[in-house]
Amino acid sequence: MAQPIDFPAWQALQQNFEQSKHIQMRDQFEQDPQRAERYCLEVGGIHVDFSKNRISDEILGNLVELAKQAGLPERMQQMFRGEKINQTENRAVLHVALRNRTNNPILVDGEDVMPQVNDVLRRMGEFSHAVRSGEWLGYTNQVITDVVNIGIGGSDLGPLMMCTALKGFGHPRLNMHFVSNVDGAQLRDVLERVHPETTLFIIASKTFTTQETITNANTARQWFLKEGSEKDIAKHFVAVSTNKAEVAKFGIDTDHMFEFWDWVGGRYSLWSAIGLPIMLYLGEENFIEMLNGAHLMDNHFINAPLEKNLPVLLGLIGIWYINFYGGGSHVIAPYDQHLHRLPKFIQQLDMESNGKQVKMGGEPVATETGPIIWGETGINGQHAFFQLLHQGTHVTPIDLIASLTKRSNLPGHHEILLSNVFAQAEAFMRGKTPEEARAELQAQGLSDAQIETLVPHKTFSGNRPTNMILMDEVNPRNMGSLIAMYEHKVFTQGVIWGINSFDQWGVELGKQLAKTILAELTGAIDPQKHDASTSRLIRLYRKTNCAEDGTCDLFN
Ligand code: F6P
């Protein structure tokens, strides 16, 4: 399989890089008054200004060529057609079917998936309506007040992020809780705040074999059974999974199971039944609005020419930094408190998808692949890690995300927030020259010697890339569009690198080893052969937790 470096466009980009790496964006803005107008795109309620990047028409043209030479348009079609592009798992990749609001048939193995998608959506709608309206009662005939989603990774991050982002749309009676960590502290903290009579547990796991989720689910069930009885479980536990057999084995009636399918990747699953907490909290209409927003972005992605295609351009600009500037990380900085879970969500989406070292055919990649994604609310980041972004030695592209519409009625707050996000983008781009720094210090009346000492420290090299991503409002539709935009950006990059963005074998080794070590920690079996460090850690644990005779039952 061809490596991206073999494509002619890659060679052209390498030349572009050598010729343009010292060009300052501030000069480009001065030379081209139309730059901001030309380098921005709007899709639905999402407006992206990507003009503060180290790009030119020629560079963008070559990046688009690269996408064509890597076969992106064909790959997009294959995904939307339901072809099995997740080759290592022999699966289709059809999160787009979950929000296919035009309902045109999408075939997997010759069968249209849309009737099943619509059927589960309908069941989710009925169930959500019953819980929200108070028609669904707990075993003592009380309405549900608390929903506890037990899941991890993709079965947690998407619903948690959406429910947090769209808090203003939430049902006033429902308190949403999310338990992912097998550290019992998280579940205990939630159980201390809820009551069995009024709590609904959603056990969310694609496989229904994930150790953390099943452990938490069993503990929740035991907690419930201290007051309720086996027959009451049906009113308080539902499952979301692709695995009927395991759900039944766990003891949840499969009538209370909301299904999804192997062609939905965990990190792409919030649009499926995994989104049940979202629908419960926001209501069916808002959930559908979220799907509509994602569908809008899907239509744009599949139909817009590559040079005007928002997810494609964001993916390509990312490639430009990762592969040519050696920028190995990417910051997500929402200027919006309720979007504070977004960096973590995008972290899984991107890093689990594109953190790969071999190409589709198994041969090693010849270039860097997925970046390290990290971030925090921008305003808090400004007072913590932005120093490194402004004056450190790395090239770190930043997505700055904000709402044009006010998010609270508190006077002055939104204006301060937005002035900061715009100022940061300007500062990252313009920087401050030594001459500007010197003039400022002179105006403060410092001596020449003091000025020359301080100038290097007060200089900002600037030329640091940002994308400004503005939502006209943070609402279900725009959130759907925003997340779909990131999904397709990740897909675009994966295609350029020729990797499979839809498997995640890298998470397996640790899981396997943990099984062996768990048995050794509990004393059930003798320690197996480990390296000296791991054996020592196991002995240290046993010394702290086990009786002298070696009995060490973790579960008592
Ligand atoms: O271990 C990684 C992973 O498989 C993720 O891809 C997934 O989102 C998460 O674990 C949870 O898996 P499940 O939904 O099967 O419990």
Side-chain angles (χ1 to χ4, degrees), residues 10-190:
W10 191 281
Q11 312 301 331
L13 285 161
Q14 193 59 51
Q15 277 184 12
N16 290 151
F17 173 71
E18 296 304 334
Q19 288 158 1
S20 71
K21 63 185 172 195
H22 299 301
I23 292 178
Q24 291 287 320
M25 279 188 259
R26 60 152 68 189
D27 296 334
Q28 292 178 310
F29 272 101
E30 267 162 38
Q31 287 153 15
D32 176 6
Q34 293 306 311
R35 185 176 172 87
E37 290 303 324
R38 288 191 301 115
Y39 293 159
C40 69
L41 274 176
E42 200 162 300
V43 180
I46 310 286
H47 178 103
V48 180
D49 177 339
F50 53 93
S51 64
K52 294 191 184 82
N53 279 292
R54 297 195 197 180
I55 51 169
S56 63
D57 287 353
E58 189 182 339
I59 292 166
L60 278 181
N62 283 328
L63 285 167
V64 167
E65 269 312 302
L66 178 67
K68 289 181 185 158
Q69 288 165 16
L72 178 65
E74 296 89 286
R75 210 69 188 152
M76 285 156 81
Q77 294 294 342
Q78 287 172 349
M79 175 166 75
F80 278 69
R81 276 201 302 263
E83 288 183 28
K84 296 195 173 173
I85 61 169
N86 174 359
Q87 289 171 356
T88 58
E89 296 181 311
N90 193 30
R91 290 175 182 168
V93 174
L94 273 181
H95 39 283
V96 293
L98 300 166
R99 58 229 191 183
N100 171 21
R101 306 302 302 155
T102 43
N103 211 23
N104 56 306
I106 300 181
L107 306 184
V108 174
D109 292 328
E111 195 190 337
D112 182 10
V113 299
M114 290 315 298
Q116 320 170 53
V117 168
N118 293 330
D119 187 50
V120 174
L121 255 183
R122 182 190 49 76
R123 287 187 56 228
M124 287 167 67
E126 284 167 8
F127 179 66
S128 306
H129 179 72
V131 172
R132 288 165 60 85
S133 66
E135 197 184 302
W136 181 282
L137 298 173
Y139 72 99
T140 56
N141 287 331
Q142 296 189 58
V143 294
I144 298 297
T145 57
D146 291 85
V147 177
V148 181
N149 188 75
I150 297 183
I152 196 165
S155 301
D156 166 68
L157 289 166
L160 170 59
M161 180 274 296
M162 275 294 180
C163 289
T164 312
L166 298 170
K167 208 170 167 211
F169 295 78
H171 193 292
R173 193 186 70 240
L174 293 179
N175 304 305
M176 306 302 291
H177 311 269
F178 291 84
V179 175
S180 54
N181 200 329
V182 77
D183 177 348
Q186 194 184 20
L187 181 59
R188 186 201 55 213
D189 287 354
V190 170

Side-chain angles (χ1 to χ4, degrees), residues 178-230:
F178 291 84
V179 175
S180 54
N181 200 329
V182 77
D183 177 348
Q186 194 184 20
L187 181 59
R188 186 201 55 213
D189 287 354
V190 170
L191 295 181
E192 275 171 7
R193 281 184 281 139
V194 300
H195 304 285
E197 303 98 305
T198 52
T199 299
L200 176 75
F201 291 93
I202 302 174
I203 314 301
S205 174
K206 178 173 171 178
T207 52
F208 229 76
T209 55
T210 302
Q211 187 188 38
E212 296 87 338
T213 299
I214 300 305
T215 305
N216 279 326
N218 274 318
T219 304
R221 188 193 154 107
Q222 281 159 18
W223 171 86
F224 177 82
L225 287 175
K226 281 189 192 147
E227 301 207 14
S229 66
E230 281 287 344

